[in-house]
Amino acid sequence: VKSEGRNHIALYSDELTAQAKQRVLLETRLRNALKQDKLQCYYQPQIDIASGKIMGAEVLLRWHDAELGHIPPSVFIPLAESCGLIHHVGSWVLQQSCRQLKTWLDQGIAPFSLAINVSAHQFNKDQLLGLLEQVLIDTAVPAHLIELEVTESALMINEERVIAIMQQIKAMGIRLAIDDFGTGYSSLSYLKRLPLDALKIDRRFIEHIPQAHDDKQITSAIIALAHNMNLKVLAEGVETAEQLAFLTQQGCDYYQGYYFSKPIPANEFVALLQR
Ligand code: C2E
Ligand code: CA
Ligand code: CA
Ligand code: CA
């Protein structure tokens, strides 16, 4: 029994070591990818339901490593958050996508807005406001064309501080949306205190529409809640005509999802806009 136990521990610590090594490897490669501009911004169209037109795009990061292949953001974003690289990643995405938007504006391709994900961790450091100011100056993109997507988890860090930062972001003219709405926070009281423009209904509520009665109820309740609070509402992860029909009937403002388009590179996004 004793030796078995020891083997077990040895195996376990081997596994831990392997995991730790993998982490260090990924971290190093992510650092290099950032340095060498190896990350890519993809764009997923956001559609105005009433007109059927593209009104914006969400910026989603992609990372293809020469040796490791495609590494999804669900892996490297949490990694970046835990090792502190998220601030670098976050500022890279912001600069890169705003520069792209400026190019499109100059070419007469826009105007539409860009929704950019901001990690809760970015609210924990003082540099976010300075970064936003700098990007607006550098790229000369109109602030109202930028929307930041923030998850409810940002409020868990330090609600008062986050509210103060959001108010300053708002004062700059940048729009604010709550991402993955309905999945995070226990109290909705923050909705009154945050200077928000939009709610994004999480994909998991949309996924089983039209079969799931509960999800339909939740979705229509979120739409009503948003409108009562003078917020726009967007449904994520729309994959079928039935889902879109339900959202249209409920008066949802916008949607995004594979039904219209997956996230695509900048050149494909332009082709889609011109179609
Ligand atoms: P998210 O912000 O909730 O982004 C939506 C995710 O749903 C994206 O996954 C998108 O590709 C996927 N999606 C969109 N439409 C559909 C659909 O119709 N069906 C299905 N099944 N999925 C759909 P992705 O690109 O893998 O990103 C995953 C998460 O990684 C994002 O979730 C976001 O939390 C994070 N992320 C991505 N880019 C960034 C970034 O630049 N900064 C930060 N902080 N996080 C990012
Ligand atoms: Ca998002
Ligand atoms: Ca989301
Ligand atoms: Ca999500």
Side-chain angles (χ1 to χ4, degrees):
V1 175
K2 224 177 187 177
S3 74
E4 229 174 60
R6 212 183 298 130
N7 280 342
H8 196 79
I9 288 166
L11 201 80
Y12 183 63
S13 73
D14 274 359
E15 248 169 53
L16 274 186
T17 313
Q19 268 178 27
K21 275 187 186 155
Q22 177 71 8
R23 263 182 67 94
V24 172
L25 173 71
L26 268 185
E27 191 183 317
T28 308
R29 302 200 68 108
L30 180 58
R31 214 176 281 280
N32 287 335
L34 272 166
K35 241 185 253 157
Q36 300 162 5
D37 272 344
K38 290 273 176 63
L39 298 180
Q40 241 190 311
C41 292
Y42 272 44
Y43 299 84
Q44 186 177 37
Q46 299 183 320
I47 316 305
D48 179 278
I49 292 180
S51 69
K53 295 211 171 99
I54 297 175
M55 62 79 181
E58 179 177 2
V59 182
L60 291 157
L61 262 179
R62 294 293 177 263
W63 177 23
H64 185 86
D65 182 89
E67 277 169 40
L68 305 172
H70 175 72
I71 299 154
S74 58
V75 171
F76 71 80
I77 294 291
L79 174 81
E81 286 174 341
S82 68
C83 72
L85 267 181
I86 192 63
H87 303 284
H88 196 159
V89 171
S91 79
W92 188 89
V93 169
L94 205 67
Q95 282 168 333
Q96 203 65 24
S97 58
C98 286
R99 241 180 259 157
Q100 180 61 261
L101 179 59
K102 175 63 171 145
T103 305
W104 284 333
L105 286 169
D106 289 346
Q107 294 171 344
I109 290 169
F112 51 84
S113 56
L114 280 190
I116 303 167
N117 291 289
V118 175
S119 162
H121 292 250
Q122 289 177 267
F123 282 89
N124 223 1
K125 249 195 165 184
D126 288 325
Q127 64 199 33
L128 182 60
L129 288 168
L131 169 68
L132 291 168
E133 266 162 22
Q134 196 56 51
V135 169
L136 288 181
I137 292 168
D138 289 350
T139 63
V141 159
H144 72 274
L145 296 183
I146 305 299
E147 181 167 278
L148 301 183
E149 296 191 359
V150 185
T151 58
E152 292 163 84
S153 61
L155 300 167
M156 311 281 249
I157 293 177
N158 180 341
E159 187 162 331
E160 294 315 313
R161 180 187 157 85
V162 171
I163 290 174
I165 296 175
M166 283 188 171
Q167 278 162 347
Q168 293 184 71
I169 291 174
K170 192 71 206 161
M172 293 165 70
I174 294 173
R175 296 166 51 87
L176 284 165
I178 294 290
D179 200 359
D180 302 345
F181 184 75
T183 62
Y185 209 59
S186 52
S187 154
L188 292 177
S189 65
Y190 73 85
L191 285 179
K192 287 193 297 189
R193 286 181 289 143
L194 298 186
L196 297 175
D197 296 285
L199 300 182
K200 296 191 73 179
I201 307 174
D202 193 76
R203 182 161 65 83
R204 75 191 77 174
F205 298 121
I206 307 300
E207 222 179 343
H208 303 291
I209 290 176
Q211 297 83 7
H213 181 69
D214 290 359
D215 291 342
K216 288 201 284 193
Q217 293 294 322
I218 292 171
T219 298
S220 59
I222 295 176
I223 294 169
L225 173 69
H227 286 162
N228 281 331
M229 303 203 68
N230 270 321
L231 303 174
K232 295 290 187 184
V233 59
L234 179 146
E236 296 192 293
V238 175
E239 295 186 352
T240 70
E242 289 83 1
Q243 289 165 349
L244 178 55
F246 175 76
L247 294 165
T248 307
Q249 180 207 331
Q250 296 301 315
C252 187
D253 300 296
Y254 313 117
Y255 80 95
Q256 64 185 96
Y258 296 170
Y259 181 64
F260 191 90
S261 169
K262 291 195 170 183
I264 46 181
N267 59 333
E268 286 178 37
F269 183 68
V270 170
L272 196 65
L273 278 170
Q274 289 168 340
R275 220 171 55 194

